[in-house]
């Protein structure tokens, strides 16, 4: 018992101040960030960064990155694409009435027709663009670019065009060459890679 008390007394002894002490000061992270932002704003760096970002965004919108992996069509190739899907879960109306049960196969072409063909072209290829403009109309086809500037085409031809961002459509249909045409054939879609007449004539002349 005496030994325990002695140990307790030693542990509680005040040895006094052994060295200089200073308060611990931690910088406010948010304040530091705010100070840097204010400095960048004052120097014009933020305005310059915003201007650069806006210019890059505008350029990408006016001329999206071309779809990779495509080349001009040199031989006609045709196949069919079945748009039928299998419903992954029950589909009900707003009242809870079952419309389509899970597992049922549904073909959109059974209820909705593809009234306009989809024409895929690389607008940077003058032959493809010329062929598409001359062989289609606004009423019977939608022009979908895989390369080139949609804004340039719309301004020059006074016709609305689209762009296959990221090549999602050509990948879905299995298109490897342009021009290519997708059109309805009964309950499936017929996909055809087309050789523009002038391109075909040049190839025959070379042979």
């Amino acid at each position: 018992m005496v030994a325990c008390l002695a140990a307790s007394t030693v542990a509680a002894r005040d040895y006094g101040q052994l060295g200089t002490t200073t308060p611990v000061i931690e910088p406010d992270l948010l304040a530091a960030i705010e100070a840097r932002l204010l400095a960048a704003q004052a120097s014009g760096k933020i305005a310059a960064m915003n201007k650069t970002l806006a210019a890059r965004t505008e350029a990408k919108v006016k001329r999206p990155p071309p779809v990779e992996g495509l080349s001009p069509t040199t031989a006609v190739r045709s196949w069919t694409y079945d748009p039928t899907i299998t419903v992954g879960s029950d589909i009900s109306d707003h009242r809870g009435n079952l419309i389509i049960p899970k597992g049922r196969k549904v073909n959109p072409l059974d209820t909705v027709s593809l009234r306009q063909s989809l024409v895929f072209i690389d607008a940077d290829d003058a032959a493809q663009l010329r062929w598409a403009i001359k062989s289609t109309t606004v009423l019977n086809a939608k022009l979908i670019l895989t390369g080139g500037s949609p804004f340039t085409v719309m301004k020059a031809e006074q016709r609305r065009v689209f762009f296959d961002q990221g090549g999602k459509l050509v990948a879905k249909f299995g298109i490897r060459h342009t021009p290519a045409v997708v059109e309805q054939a009964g309950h499936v879609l017929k996909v055809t890679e087309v050789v523009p007449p002038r391109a075909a004539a040049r190839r025959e002349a070379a042979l």
Side-chain angles (χ1 to χ4, degrees), residues 150-165:
F151 284 86
T152 299
V153 175
M154 286 191 287
K155 183 177 180 180
E157 305 299 336
Q158 294 297 301
R159 177 173 176 176
R160 186 180 183 185
V161 300
F162 304 85
F163 199 100
D164 187 10
Q165 295 277 6

Side-chain angles (χ1 to χ4, degrees), residues 45-68:
K45 287 184 178 180
I46 291 182
M49 290 172 61
N50 287 337
K51 185 176 181 180
T52 300
L53 179 61
R56 289 179 180 175
T57 302
E58 182 180 0
K60 185 169 289 187
V61 170
K62 288 185 175 180
R63 176 177 279 276
V67 178
E68 297 181 354

Side-chain angles (χ1 to χ4, degrees), residues 70-85:
L70 297 178
S71 59
T73 303
T74 57
V76 177
R77 188 169 72 101
S78 184
W79 65 95
T80 58
Y81 173 82
D82 186 353
T84 300
I85 61 172

Side-chain angles (χ1 to χ4, degrees), residues 35-172:
R36 289 189 178 185
L37 288 175
L38 290 174
Q41 185 176 14
S43 66
K45 287 184 178 180
I46 291 182
M49 290 172 61
N50 287 337
K51 185 176 181 180
T52 300
L53 179 61
R56 289 179 180 175
T57 302
E58 182 180 0
K60 185 169 289 187
V61 170
K62 288 185 175 180
R63 176 177 279 276
V67 178
E68 297 181 354
L70 297 178
S71 59
T73 303
T74 57
V76 177
R77 188 169 72 101
S78 184
W79 65 95
T80 58
Y81 173 82
D82 186 353
T84 300
I85 61 172
T86 301
V87 178
S89 58
D90 291 341
I91 298 178
S92 304
D93 62 17
H94 64 287
R95 294 181 178 178
N97 298 316
L98 182 64
I99 300 176
I100 304 175
K102 175 182 177 180
R104 175 177 293 180
K105 294 185 180 298
V106 177
N107 186 336
L109 297 178
D110 291 338
T111 54
V112 180
S113 299
L114 184 65
R115 297 183 179 181
Q116 295 172 291
S117 60
L118 308 179
V119 179
F120 294 83
I121 61 169
D122 178 359
D124 280 336
D125 185 326
Q128 293 188 35
L129 179 59
R130 186 167 50 249
W131 167 82
I133 295 299
K134 289 185 177 182
S135 62
T136 67
T137 67
V138 177
L139 295 178
N140 66 21
K142 287 184 178 180
L143 299 186
I144 304 177
L145 308 189
T146 60
S149 170
F151 284 86
T152 299
V153 175
M154 286 191 287
K155 183 177 180 180
E157 305 299 336
Q158 294 297 301
R159 177 173 176 176
R160 186 180 183 185
V161 300
F162 304 85
F163 199 100
D164 187 10
Q165 295 277 6
K168 293 182 179 180
L169 291 177
V170 297
K172 179 185 290 291

